[in-house]
Amino acid sequence: MAVGDIADKDYLRRLLKKADTYCNGFLAERVSLLYRNKPFSYFQNIRRYHNNIMKPCMKDHGGDYRSPINGRLAGIFFGVTLYRGDLPDRSPFGDTRVTVPLTEVFDDYANLYFADFYCKPSRSRIHYVTIVLAKSGSYSDDFCRRHLILLRPYDNLYLRREYYSNSYRSQRRTGVNVEVLYTEAINISNRPTSLTATVGQGHSTPGGIQKTLGCSICNVDLGWRETDRGVNKDENANGTTVYDCFVNMLWSVWNFLRSLFR
């Protein structure tokens, strides 16, 4: 195993510990579907020009900037977290939704990995846990084994199978959303879509949104920054420091400049 692979896993182990600490002790609720929201034009384009095949796309640089999947692993993002026991009735990612039964993608031939834990610089401070679902033996699975943390399919806090049944359970902590990056293509020809309301801009942010660096819940202590002692004197009402704003501004400029040369 290369030095970089070891560093990736060491960092993720500490990040997973932060996630486990935050989420441990809460009930898990039964789930059966993955759901994906995108603008109507996204699905229209797939049906017209891609023979109904929803293909994996390269992961952007949103979330924790040290997550090994950023810019290196392709997949399709899905939600699995319920809202009051049902699928959410709105989404920030688009007005059209497709669902995929978990039984089709999370079986004996799939592996589950932890990839990220983060929050975005907003007042709501929702935290996101990113897990990767990969087909055993695939190229993506090989990447995940080298760089990510393998989760036990029947015993983890975020998405698990139930013994001796086709049932699944996911995290139920208020303020935590579990997102699943599935690394295989999916045929949507026999999958109906449904319309939902949207919130915010109603579509993904190109390049992704970086995690909030000042949050002590989801930032690993690297020794050069101590946020767990209390509120920083330069911290504003939603927990974002002047330092965070400066770093996030630099990252936005970098993403913009990089997009000009693609």
Side-chain angles (χ1 to χ4, degrees):
M1 182 178 289
V3 174
D5 300 346
I6 296 174
D8 284 345
K9 285 197 169 186
D10 178 64
Y11 180 76
L12 282 186
R13 285 190 185 95
R14 290 185 287 162
L15 193 60
L16 176 58
K17 184 177 180 180
K18 299 282 283 189
D20 285 348
T21 299
Y22 189 61
C23 297
N24 193 28
F26 290 84
L27 296 175
E29 60 186 345
R30 184 161 291 177
V31 294
S32 61
L33 298 171
L34 296 178
Y35 57 88
R36 177 172 173 82
N37 273 71
K38 282 289 186 181
F40 175 78
S41 58
Y42 168 86
F43 293 103
Q44 188 178 48
N45 184 64
I46 289 175
R47 297 190 190 280
R48 286 183 176 179
Y49 305 112
H50 296 278
N51 198 29
N52 288 301
I53 303 300
M54 188 163 55
K55 300 177 182 179
C57 296
M58 187 60 64
K59 167 68 172 66
D60 62 23
H61 290 269
D64 194 308
Y65 78 99
R66 288 192 60 179
S67 175
I69 65 176
N70 292 347
R72 300 167 70 187
L73 184 67
I76 306 170
F77 266 113
F78 290 91
V80 70
T81 303
L82 302 180
Y83 179 70
R84 295 181 178 176
D86 205 349
L87 297 183
D89 60 1
R90 61 196 63 198
S91 170
F93 303 114
D95 61 358
T96 306
R97 173 179 294 162
V98 68
T99 59
V100 176
L102 276 163
T103 52
E104 294 185 17
V105 294
F106 191 9
D107 54 19
D108 293 336
Y109 304 99
N111 290 320
L112 195 68
Y113 299 88
F114 171 79
D116 204 353
F117 177 49
Y118 67 97
C119 67
K120 300 175 183 179
S122 66
R123 292 183 181 276
S124 60
R125 277 300 177 86
I126 302 293
H127 279 82
Y128 300 84
V129 175
T130 304
I131 55 179
V132 177
L133 195 56
K135 184 178 180 180
S136 181
S138 65
Y139 171 83
S140 298
D141 186 52
D142 179 65
F143 174 90
C144 293
R145 282 190 176 276
R146 287 187 287 111
H147 296 280
L148 307 183
I149 305 299
L150 182 66
L151 297 175
R152 289 176 290 188
Y154 295 98
D155 184 20
N156 72 83
L157 295 176
Y158 311 108
L159 180 61
R160 67 173 185 260
R161 301 173 63 186
E162 299 269 68
Y163 285 105
Y164 312 117
S165 71
N166 287 325
S167 299
Y168 303 83
R169 289 189 179 273
S170 184
Q171 177 62 225
R172 194 184 173 183
R173 192 196 199 290
T174 301
V176 173
N177 284 345
V178 177
E179 50 186 18
V180 179
L181 184 68
Y182 183 62
T183 61
E184 299 295 314
I186 291 181
N187 190 325
I188 63 170
S189 58
N190 294 318
R191 303 183 194 278
T193 56
S194 58
L195 295 178
T196 64
T198 59
V199 293
Q201 62 187 4
H203 60 80
S204 302
T205 300
I209 300 175
Q210 283 280 290
K211 79 185 296 182
T212 306
L213 297 180
C215 178
S216 61
I217 293 172
C218 61
N219 278 273
V220 172
D221 183 8
L222 299 178
W224 54 273
R225 185 180 175 85
E226 299 181 14
T227 57
D228 289 334
R229 292 183 176 181
V231 178
N232 188 296
K233 65 181 181 181
D234 295 324
E235 202 169 295
N236 65 20
N238 72 344
T240 303
T241 64
V242 173
Y243 176 86
D244 299 333
C245 295
F246 178 69
V247 171
N248 287 332
M249 180 189 72
L250 288 180
W251 185 258
S252 298
V253 172
W254 165 248
N255 277 330
F256 172 73
L257 292 175
R258 186 175 57 179
S259 68
L260 296 179
F261 295 97
R262 286 179 176 173

